[in-house]
Amino acid sequence: MGTKEELLKALELSRQKGTALSGQELADRLQVSRMAVWKAVKALETEGYEILSVPGKGYRLAPRSDRLSPEGIKVYLRQPLVDIPVFTYPVTDSTNKRASAYAGEGFSGSALFVADSQTDGRGRLGRSFYSPAGSGIYFSFLFSSDAPLSVLNSVTPAAAVATAQSIEALTGISVGIKWVNDLYFNGKKICGILTEAITAMDEGCENKIIVGIGVNLSTNDFPDQLNNTAGALNCTVNRCQLVAETVNRLARFAEDPYDRNFMDYYSTHSVVMGRKVLLTRGSDCIIGRVAGFDENGGLILDREDGGKPEVFTGGEITLRFTE
Ligand code: BTN
């Protein structure tokens, strides 16, 4: 790590503790001259970090300075996640694509890809995900697992719960979960999740899972076709912390993919429970009332046509409310 990165890490840590660091303290800690500290401060400012110089106290990262960086995210990651590779981008095509390319290079383990904006953000069912700069957060968590895909499929509801709980912990806002994996606030979608798998051809080999999460924090200028359905949390939150808190929770699933404790929160925060809905799968349309979820996040539907309650799993299905 260079002086600039070391300085950023020290400033992020001191911001978390609510303290300032003098030029001398920083020089001692980084084992460089005060002039080198000053130059690194200027370099960070040029990159857009807002650094306050408090007379008699030293340097502080401004509370509202919200640039994404591996150092800023790692300050909030728990053990052992602090050691995973973290990549941040002011702009990229799609963090899911970055994760997929990285996994394709033979990487095994966990890694995190985080963007301020995406030019080709991808959604479910081949849709795009609107990802403008400065008003949302777009990230993908990659992990490897030797559990079968049938078990790993539940990562989608686990990711919805991890994101909802992190939003609640950091902002106090309780969001709803719309099966399978959209988060809703004030009747509008504020978060989408796209899970992709790079599957092992041989049994006993690792599957690689990519969980891509996009959250609209203050996005208000949606394209016309999204205006009625998409919304934002409209709150202030440290984006590095929101990403890290979500990954801290989501990685529990990677550590033990058989644990289904998250399904309690999923059910109690569901906005579809008990509602009459229309499921569309290809050209099939099925109307019924949501009776609950199975332990893997499958939707249990009491069909209107009188058939037995049926369990639907995510895949290519869309859900609409009918009343
Ligand atoms: C959906 O609502 O259909 C899913 C949207 C998923 C969007 C996220 S943003 C980060 C990651 N990168 C992508 O290209 N897509 C996911």
Side-chain angles (χ1 to χ4, degrees):
M1 225 190 255
T3 305
K4 192 178 67 178
E5 289 76 21
E6 292 280 9
L7 172 67
L8 182 55
K9 186 175 164 190
L11 289 173
E12 286 282 7
L13 270 169
S14 69
R15 174 163 71 172
Q16 194 191 25
K17 291 187 198 138
T19 55
L21 287 167
S22 73
Q24 191 57 55
E25 275 174 305
L26 283 164
D28 293 344
R29 197 175 292 188
L30 275 53
Q31 297 191 314
V32 296
S33 65
R34 289 186 63 167
M35 176 56 87
V37 169
W38 183 82
K39 278 190 183 159
V41 167
K42 292 293 146 201
L44 287 175
E45 283 177 342
T46 310
E47 285 180 20
Y49 291 93
E50 202 178 328
I51 298 171
L52 308 173
S53 179
V54 191
K57 292 201 170 141
Y59 295 110
R60 295 179 63 156
L61 207 48
R64 65 165 179 263
S65 185
D66 191 31
R67 262 185 85 83
L68 302 172
S69 68
E71 292 78 12
I73 291 167
K74 285 189 176 206
V75 162
Y76 299 103
L77 282 177
R78 65 171 165 82
Q79 290 290 349
L81 296 165
V82 276
D83 295 323
I84 69 172
V86 176
F87 303 91
T88 55
Y89 313 89
V91 53
T92 190
D93 48 0
S94 148
T95 54
N96 269 34
K97 274 196 197 169
R98 292 304 96 230
S100 171
Y102 196 66
E105 285 164 15
F107 174 78
S108 175
S110 300
L112 179 59
F113 305 80
V114 187
D116 181 47
S117 67
Q118 301 181 117
T119 53
D120 190 20
R122 302 198 302 203
R124 285 180 71 227
L125 306 168
R127 296 181 187 135
S128 60
F129 189 79
Y130 184 57
S131 317
S135 63
I137 186 69
Y138 319 100
F139 58 105
S140 301
F141 179 60
L142 163 71
F143 68 93
S144 311
S145 173
D146 50 18
L149 269 188
S150 53
V151 171
L152 293 172
N153 274 339
S154 301
V155 71
T156 300
V161 169
T163 312
Q165 287 181 332
S166 303
I167 290 172
E168 191 168 352
L170 297 184
T171 68
I173 297 174
S174 177
V175 295
I177 303 174
K178 180 174 171 232
W179 186 82
V180 183
N181 49 3
D182 291 340
L183 299 187
Y184 270 65
F185 178 56
N186 284 342
K188 297 212 164 166
K189 173 169 166 174
I190 55 93
C191 166
I193 299 172
L194 175 67
T195 306
E196 297 180 282
I198 302 174
T199 52
M201 298 302 278
D202 299 314
E203 208 169 303
C205 288
E206 279 184 337
N207 290 304
K208 293 175 187 178
I209 305 295
I210 296 163
V211 186
I213 301 173
V215 187
N216 304 330
L217 296 169
S218 57
T219 322
N220 280 314
D221 53 342
F222 292 100
D224 287 349
Q225 71 272 22
L226 295 179
N227 249 334
N228 290 331
T229 52
L233 283 170
N234 287 318
C235 65
T236 318
V237 65
N238 178 328
R239 293 184 301 169
C240 288
Q241 191 174 7
L242 180 61
V243 171
E245 287 276 340
T246 306
V247 170
N248 285 341
R249 290 179 167 86
L250 179 55
R252 297 266 177 233
F253 180 89
E255 289 155 9
D256 180 3
Y258 293 89
D259 183 2
R260 294 289 175 268
N261 276 335
F262 59 84
M263 279 311 296
D264 279 348
Y265 187 99
Y266 188 92
S267 299
T268 54
H269 288 74
S270 167
V271 294
V272 305
M273 188 73 104
R275 299 276 305 268
K276 192 171 168 188
V277 298
L278 167 74
L279 297 188
T280 314
R281 182 173 46 189
S283 55
D284 278 0
C285 291
I286 305 130
I287 293 182
R289 201 168 282 282
V290 177
F293 305 94
D294 73 6
E295 61 157 20
N296 298 318
L299 178 127
I300 305 168
L301 193 73
D302 278 334
R303 296 178 63 129
E304 192 163 68
D305 59 15
K308 279 196 308 189
E310 196 175 334
V311 179
F312 293 84
T313 51
E316 302 292 293
I317 301 177
T318 56
L319 178 151
R320 286 198 187 84
F321 295 115
T322 61
E323 58 185 25

